[in-house]
Amino acid sequence: MNKTLMRLSLTLMVTVMGASAAIKCHMWRDILPCDCQIVAPQTRTTSITCENMLSFTQVVELLRGHFHSHEKINLRLERSNLQDLQYRQFREINVTIESIKLNHDYLGFLEENTFAGMSRVTYVSFADTSIDAIPGHLWKYMPNIQTVDLGRTNIKEILLNSFEGLADIRTIVLPGNQISKIDKNSIPLQIQRLHLGRNRIYNLNGTLTGLRDMSWLFLNANEFEDLEGQLPYEASNLKMIHASNNRLMRIPQQLSDYPRLETVFLNNNEITSLDGAIAGCRALERIDLKSNQIHTVTATDFLECEVLDTLDLAYNQISTLNHSLLPLKSLETLNLSNNLLSEFCFSEIFGLERLHRLELSYNQISNIVGPASNLVEPNIRLTELKLDHNSLEVLNAALSGLSELLRLDLSYNKLRRISPDDLINLDQLRLLDISHNQLKTLEEMSKTYLPRLSELKATHNQLTILEHDFHGLPVLCDADLSSNQIVALGRDLVTKTRCKLEHGVHDGPYDTLKIVLSYNPILCDAALPEITSEMETNHTKVTGVSYHCPTLDELPITAKPNAYLGYVPEQASPTLPALAPFYAKSPYEPPLIRNNAERLDTPNQIETKIYPNLRDTQTDQRRTGDQYQTQHLQNLEGHNAEVIQSLNDQPITATLHQTVHINQTQETTPNINVSGSILIDPITQGQVINKLASDIEVLKTRIEAISVQNERLLNKTILELEHANLTVKVP
């Protein structure tokens, strides 16, 4: 939050606190439905508010006789029908009115005699009331006015005598009208605050050039194309200019002439370059230039802006920075999103020790020049870096030196891998967003230590297996891995991770690490209860919403306990061909085995199997199940049984040779020594025998599952037919 907003918030807070501390008048019940509060007991100032009155006569009758004539009153009449006001006078209430607000009212014509005797009034507001013209004829009875609010009143012009006779006026508020004409010299010279925003002004007619006491000026949402020569020539106290939402094509060179200018809003214009217009603004603290057509910034554009803390250049056409930012030694927030940058070099912000927030989103950045570790210590102290929606494929360790970074957003890029060096030394990082990239594994992250990372977002990638990926994340609390292709979790995934909230809020001895796996195949795995239970023992909760899963007979089943939780497709091994998973679209074909070494290795990555569409009818399910059962029973009783029996009747050497030969292609040949005998590895021999026994048990389990499913489908079909009053003959 910038300083301007902080000041506004503080003012609002003080106002609210003042209102809450106000004391109701002792006669508040007597003037209902009006409200009465003492807002300043020391000055005997009372605030009276009347809403939805039927007439001004009703107001007089309610208030008259309840107050002394010397009591100071702030009177507010809102949303009322005051057509009879032209026939009455405010002096009938018999009080001293210092402030009057007639907002959202219906007034009719305003007679000047109505305001007779109101010389103590310093504040007048007709906001949101249709009066069509500035009521200059009323000012002779209120000559001490300091502030006039005429916002949204359908005023069309400011005439020479519109504010005549108001020697003490300092603030004029005229936003949201239809002003298109301003007479020269119509604005009093002593004006300090002028609001002309949201009108139809295209030329100020030299009216402001002599206003030397101006402190803030609102010209936003008009039709200006150029303000050069239309602003005050000398204004030593001018602090803010708001000229956004116009059609300005250049920045007025006069800005450098205002020694106290702190805030400038020039967003949503048609500015193409800075041309050094603000280079001499030594007091400038914030400038908003977003949504223009700026295509070039030079090394001299911010030359003397050493106290500038907020710079917004988003939504422009900047393709290079030309070291233009280096003079901004006080810069804290820099927004360069939605530009045309294709490369970013950390030398562009070298030495900006106060820069904490840098936004580079929605550019075309494909390269980050680094490594930053040579540049940032101790000169770059970013705490938030947004690089989302760019074209990064690699990071090249360019971020490795950002030791104070708290939040890093790399989403919506083209990252294919993250190396250990990419995140090294990010010891303060709390949030890492790498979603919407092309990552197939996070295994490399296990080699990087991020001691304070509590939230990881890695959705919409191509992750398949999580094994040791969290080993470098000791205090991780939230990991969103939705919309990937995850089929298995390593049993050691979270053994080195314990969620630890910095504020000390615990669910138990440890906080709970929450892993979201929505829209991943693993949520359809029959082993999901096992997965959930195993994770809970490590203070981890697995959650997520799955797509429509296949039917029971098609769900993958974990073949045997191993290093993973979930269904892991069969690896290359010297065994009989593995049965196809029930959800596979085509028979499973094991990979070619070229040698014993390859046969015993386990690949690091697996291909995710794709679930098919569900069966159209229950009849198709039953028919397919029956066919599958018959086919594999024949295979088991025929081919496999013959092989097993043959193997049992032969010496172990011949058994191993035949077993290996089953899975070998024509390209593979057994290893033979000089004498011609086959070399036998006892370890391989034992693995082959154990795998054969395991496969037989798996076959039996699957056949039993299919039989149960078929019986359920048959019973369900019978019940449905009976419910339809059809006669079914049960075999």
Side-chain angles (χ1 to χ4, degrees), residues 489-559:
L489 305 179
R491 293 181 182 273
D492 295 333
L493 177 65
V494 295
T495 55
K496 297 184 179 181
T497 301
R498 288 291 183 273
C499 171
K500 180 71 173 180
L501 298 180
E502 293 190 1
H503 299 294
V505 180
H506 299 283
D507 296 330
Y510 297 98
D511 295 308
T512 301
L513 166 59
K514 299 176 180 62
I515 301 179
V516 182
L517 293 174
S518 295
Y519 309 125
N520 278 284
I522 195 172
L523 291 187
C524 290
D525 198 304
L528 187 59
E530 177 192 2
I531 297 171
T532 303
S533 177
E534 181 84 9
M535 292 290 104
E536 287 179 352
T537 62
N538 287 297
H539 307 281
T540 301
K541 183 177 182 181
V542 175
T543 63
V545 178
S546 65
Y547 291 114
H548 295 295
C549 294
T551 56
L552 179 63
D553 65 322
E554 296 177 318
L555 291 179
I557 300 175
T558 304

Side-chain angles (χ1 to χ4, degrees), residues 63-81:
L63 302 181
R64 187 167 51 190
H66 293 290
F67 301 92
H68 298 290
S69 59
H70 60 273
E71 289 191 66
K72 301 174 183 178
I73 300 295
N74 295 335
L75 180 62
R76 184 169 61 182
L77 306 178
E78 293 188 346
R79 297 176 175 83
S80 299
N81 186 350

